[in-house]
Amino acid sequence: VDPNGTIGWVYPEEPNKDAKNKNLLERVELAPYLISAKENRSIVLSHVVQLYQGPKGFVFYYPIYSKDFSGWVNGVFT
């Protein structure tokens, strides 16, 4: 997930293609988790949410920093 909150690539691609190019910061139920991960520089786990891929599940966000904030690694569990 890029620094602006947009999912740039997904793996495996086929079952996750509906999530690609979506902006997570625009989802009211997910934005606080991304912001918290970035501000606290730690992994954050969501509550159960509706996933872009169809089923409900939960997600985690891991902030990535090089010199500055670079984005998040986003994992999805159903």
Side-chain angles (χ1 to χ4, degrees):
V1 179
D2 73 16
N4 297 316
T6 301
I7 300 169
W9 58 271
V10 294
Y11 183 84
E13 190 165 2
E14 187 56 35
N16 297 299
K17 65 184 177 184
D18 290 338
K20 192 171 181 181
N21 298 317
K22 299 285 194 303
N23 188 299
L24 296 171
L25 290 172
E26 292 176 357
R27 289 196 55 189
V28 174
E29 71 275 22
L30 296 179
Y33 296 109
L34 282 120
I35 293 166
S36 176
K38 178 182 176 183
E39 289 176 353
N40 296 309
R41 294 182 173 225
S42 63
I43 296 172
V44 173
L45 181 66
S46 78
H47 62 287
V48 175
V49 296
Q50 183 66 49
L51 302 172
Y52 288 121
Q53 296 88 333
K56 288 189 177 186
F58 63 94
V59 297
F60 76 84
Y61 302 106
Y62 182 83
I64 303 298
Y65 288 85
S66 53
K67 291 181 183 177
D68 295 312
F69 178 66
S70 298
W72 299 267
V73 172
N74 172 207
V76 178
F77 298 91
T78 58

